[in-house]
Amino acid sequence: MNKLKATLIKATVLTFEQLSFLLPTEELDEKQQNARPEAAVSVEFQGPFSGKLLLILYGQLLSNIAANMLGQEDAPSKKQQQDAFGEIANVICGNMLPGIAGSKEVFQIFAPQWIRNAGSAAAGKETSAAEARVGLDLGRVDVRLFLSSDAVHFLKEHEQ
Amino acid sequence: MAINVLVVDDSAVMRAMIIKALHLCGLPLGEIHQAANGKDGLKVLDKNWIDLSLVDINMPVMGGVEMIDKVRENPDMADLAIIVVSTESSETRIEMLEKKKAGFVHKPFSPEVLRKLIIEKTGVTDEQVKGDAYQSNGFDF
């Protein structure tokens, strides 16, 4: 497993465990693999290099995630669900960047952008630099990292 | 001493989580105010007595760093205890915030971490806290 993917998985697992109180798994069962796309959100960042993190949630998990984050039993509103998933994307991004760029680099992380059609986001053909697939309850989350061309140079220098 | 708190974050869900964590800290809380960006946060500070502000960095309209700068420039509120609650964990950014006399809590965080920093920043003593119903339940936020 390359460093980008390992960092992405670590940040994803930590964030879902601690924010949404779900138990993420790296091994997926059949139900998790076949779950349908429910929601998608992206977060862009800029710093020594720029890029984007895309999260696609599969299965009917969004309402549970928001309810767990809010600590309420009533079904959260659509707006709360979107806010909760966006905040998760934001936290994953913030936790991932020091892992790939080092702890001294400063990045600006922009507000999460909700993607209306999760299915087309899931089917997107854009090539990612790394992708993490993590099981969550009866569904899963796919996290795709896209990096600008200046990232290649930065990461090579950073490795040495 | 009950602490009046202002929570500034553009995510309503994150504000709710921070407020939940504050209640789990077992500290003597007074009024809790909320704002969705730094500009609205400054308006709340202008109209209310606030002892502690928990501030996100990246927000629309006015971000946390600009809000902190404006607070420190204003003699009426320059000494406000501020803790930044953010996803960012760049050492450079944290050093810069320390120079502005702001504490830093990294998301996700535990109520224990938040409690320790609040005590440090507000000067609430263990004696004042003693007797309050602080119980860690292992939750992180």
Side-chain angles (χ1 to χ4, degrees):
Chain A
M1 187 188 302
N2 68 34
K3 185 185 169 188
L4 285 180
K5 185 173 181 178
T7 306
L8 204 51
I9 289 175
K10 190 177 170 189
T12 303
V13 167
L14 173 89
T15 303
F16 274 99
E17 265 178 3
Q18 297 195 353
L19 275 187
S20 71
F21 312 116
L22 293 175
L23 293 176
T25 56
E26 289 182 43
E27 298 292 322
L28 301 185
D29 62 27
E30 203 180 325
K31 201 157 196 171
Q32 290 171 324
Q33 284 185 17
N34 295 328
R36 297 168 80 82
E38 183 190 15
V41 68
S42 70
V43 177
E44 293 188 8
F45 55 87
Q46 261 178 11
F49 56 85
S50 56
K52 179 178 79 176
L53 201 62
L54 172 65
L55 267 71
I56 305 158
L57 191 68
Y58 295 77
Q60 297 300 308
L61 298 176
L62 198 53
S63 179
N64 274 355
I65 287 170
N68 286 355
M69 287 173 76
L70 288 162
Q72 67 181 45
E73 289 181 9
D74 302 338
S77 67
K78 199 76 191 167
K79 194 176 173 188
Q80 286 174 316
Q81 292 178 28
Q82 292 180 355
D83 185 358
F85 194 40
E87 193 61 23
I88 280 181
N90 197 281
V91 174
I92 291 173
C93 191
N95 280 276
M96 171 205 68
L97 286 170
I100 62 174
S103 57
K104 292 211 180 289
E105 300 299 337
V106 178
F107 286 90
Q108 186 180 3
I109 301 172
F110 296 98
Q113 298 296 311
W114 190 255
I115 297 166
R116 285 187 181 274
N117 190 334
S120 61
K125 299 267 188 263
E126 197 180 348
T127 307
S128 60
E131 180 168 348
R133 185 167 281 194
V134 173
L136 298 166
D137 200 12
L138 298 176
R140 71 171 199 269
V141 64
D142 288 358
V143 185
R144 298 177 192 166
L145 172 64
F146 301 93
L147 295 174
S148 59
S149 53
D150 52 346
V152 178
H153 181 67
F154 177 92
L155 293 174
K156 268 187 186 166
E157 270 193 352
H158 191 72
E159 270 178 15
Q160 287 162 3
Chain B
M1 180 188 94
I3 308 167
N4 291 340
V5 184
L6 167 63
V7 180
V8 188
D9 197 307
D10 56 327
S11 162
V13 170
M14 187 47 70
R15 292 199 304 271
M17 293 185 79
I18 291 169
I19 290 168
K20 195 165 69 172
L22 280 170
H23 287 294
L24 288 170
C25 284
L27 297 168
L29 297 175
E31 295 170 5
I32 298 183
H33 299 265
Q34 299 184 46
N37 59 63
K39 191 176 176 187
D40 289 348
L42 289 172
K43 284 180 192 165
V44 174
L45 288 173
D46 203 36
K47 290 178 185 165
N48 301 274
W49 180 263
I50 302 291
D51 302 294
L52 167 70
S53 186
L54 303 171
V55 181
D56 188 16
I57 290 183
N58 294 312
M59 293 180 288
V61 186
M62 183 189 287
V65 174
E66 190 180 348
M67 180 189 162
I68 293 169
D69 286 341
K70 292 203 180 293
V71 167
R72 296 296 183 234
E73 284 166 9
N74 184 333
D76 292 336
M77 52 179 87
D79 292 332
L80 174 69
I82 298 177
I83 295 174
V84 170
V85 183
S86 174
T87 60
E88 294 193 38
S89 52
S90 157
E91 286 172 15
T92 311
R93 179 88 84 176
I94 294 169
E95 280 168 19
M96 180 265 288
L97 291 169
E98 280 170 356
K99 283 180 189 158
K100 296 176 191 291
K101 295 179 183 170
F104 184 85
V105 172
H106 181 245
K107 294 177 191 171
F109 60 89
S110 68
E112 287 90 341
V113 170
L114 189 60
R115 172 189 160 91
K116 193 178 165 191
L117 203 52
I118 291 173
I119 289 172
E120 184 188 314
K121 286 288 167 191
T122 61
V124 173
T125 65
D126 278 342
E127 277 304 306
Q128 287 167 308
V129 172
K130 205 187 272 182
D132 288 309
Y134 171 69
Q135 282 189 341
S136 170
N137 57 10
F139 284 169
D140 289 332
F141 295 96

